[in-house]
Amino acid sequence: MNLKSSTKTDVNMTELVVEIDAESFEKAVESAYQRQRKNISHPGFRKGKVPRAICERIYGEGVFYEDAINALLNNELPALIVEQSLDIVDTPKVEVTSASKSEGVSMKVICVTKPEVHLEGYKGIEVPKHVNDVTDEDVNQRIEAMRQRNAKVVSVDDRAAEMGDDVKIDFEGFFGDEAFEGGKGEEYQLKLGSGQFIPGFEEQVCGHNVGEDFEVHVTFPEDYQMEDYAGKEAVFKCHLHEISREELPELNDDFVKDTSDFDTVEELKADVRKQLEENAEAAADRAFESEVTMKLINMVDVPIPHCMFEHRADSLLNQFANQLKTQGVSLELYLQYTGMDQDSLKATYLERAENEVKLRLALESIAAAEELAISDEELEEEVQRLAEETKLAPEDVKKRIYLEDLRTDMLVTKALELVKNAAIAVDAPVETESETEDAAEAETVAEETETEAAQV
């Protein structure tokens, strides 16, 4: 295979014009015939014994050309691409312009190449950082949750049911005098105020005592999921069996001693405040680092071949399918449940895939600019860590992964740490509720992107 020309036809696109001389092509065609002959049959010949000349006369002179050209491409094109220092990101597209026994083969090979990214300003990225204040209300809510976890359920028989109570009831629903399907329950456990039943039902249970029979009159909502019931008036005949209520323990030193490692309420509150403050600081750090990552992604403004996003989305989809498999669910069954097809599911990954590809390109560029490196010792330590994590022997880990790919993954992780460590926190403006929600969404996207960046 001889290279006649190499031309950059577009951004991230190179066209190679290559030729295969007649002698090499003839050898490839003969090899293709030898591979296929065992499957060829023709009247007058035993299967596998039909001469090549007969095959070409019957099926055309070029019957073995495609197989021969593909074999030559598979054997020789990779070395040619390496020789031309092309970092391709997609399967090359081949256009055969001529092919004959006497002249050989001429073809164009279109190669999509990885974009060159050169970043400036990745050190000292300024990002607002805000640590939420921990209030007395926050502390009290955490302690209230402790009381809820230690609550006792007590029976109530000296009063009527109230919102917040747990009740056990029988009920049967009627449209007029006719009972309707799905409207009956026996000894059903219901928390009043939970909103489990249609509007108005739980409120009408309130005020009734244990052992009492009563009716509940309601109207099904106009948008009720069962269209035959929507907007209809119904009567539920009910019987109240039991009333119970959670009884919270009193917040005192005895409660603290029984449920924690502390002796007094004040000690417990101090520890809870400390934990909440540490959590707030950690959350601020995560948000800060995520925003740094998003800013780095946004610095990548060079054209990127869309196939890189497609390939990454395919990888994410495969990861999801494998996760489902571990749960005993096939991707096909998941698609049936959700009413989606594989293309629409893949489309949900494209934005994330774009961010991950951009981040990977940015970090590879930074690693090169900073002349970062991963030593053999660092690589061996990572292999040992993976061995412990997967409960495999180090040699088995090495058999399952390509070590130079692992080295590159570690390199981009090191580049990301460099950027984060050099980032500058500035005072954050007070956020509105909607801005806080947007920031949380951005943090989620960035965390997912950062987690997967080393695997792109």
Side-chain angles (χ1 to χ4, degrees), residues 95-109:
E95 177 189 346
V96 177
T97 52
S98 65
S100 69
K101 292 181 180 180
S102 58
E103 299 294 331
V105 180
S106 294
M107 66 185 94
K108 296 178 181 179
V109 180

Side-chain angles (χ1 to χ4, degrees), residues 383-395:
V383 170
Q384 290 290 341
R385 188 191 68 79
L386 290 173
E388 293 174 4
E389 184 179 282
T390 57
K391 295 180 173 55
L392 294 172
E395 292 307 312

Side-chain angles (χ1 to χ4, degrees), residues 19-37:
E19 291 183 349
I20 301 169
D21 60 74
E23 182 180 354
S24 298
F25 185 47
E26 168 56 29
K27 291 180 180 178
V29 171
E30 176 62 23
S31 295
Y33 162 68
Q34 294 296 336
R35 285 192 297 274
Q36 295 185 36
R37 64 181 296 180

Side-chain angles (χ1 to χ4, degrees), residues 36-78:
Q36 295 185 36
R37 64 181 296 180
K38 63 180 179 294
N39 298 318
I40 300 174
S41 59
H42 187 70
F45 298 91
R46 285 183 296 159
K47 186 175 181 179
K49 299 297 182 180
V50 182
R52 174 181 161 188
I54 298 296
C55 294
E56 291 177 336
R57 186 169 69 242
I58 295 171
Y59 300 108
E61 183 180 283
V63 62
F64 301 114
Y65 281 11
E66 183 177 354
D67 190 5
I69 292 171
N70 286 337
L72 286 166
L73 287 170
N74 290 335
N75 291 334
E76 301 184 30
L77 184 59

Side-chain angles (χ1 to χ4, degrees), residues 315-326:
S315 178
L316 293 171
L317 181 58
N318 288 336
Q319 288 178 22
F320 178 65
N322 289 333
Q323 290 172 1
L324 289 175
K325 191 174 181 180
T326 62

Side-chain angles (χ1 to χ4, degrees), residues 216-232:
V216 168
H217 296 259
V218 293
T219 301
F220 281 87
E222 293 291 344
D223 58 353
Y224 195 68
Q225 64 267 27
M226 299 176 67
E227 293 182 1
D228 291 344
Y229 295 2
K232 283 189 175 182

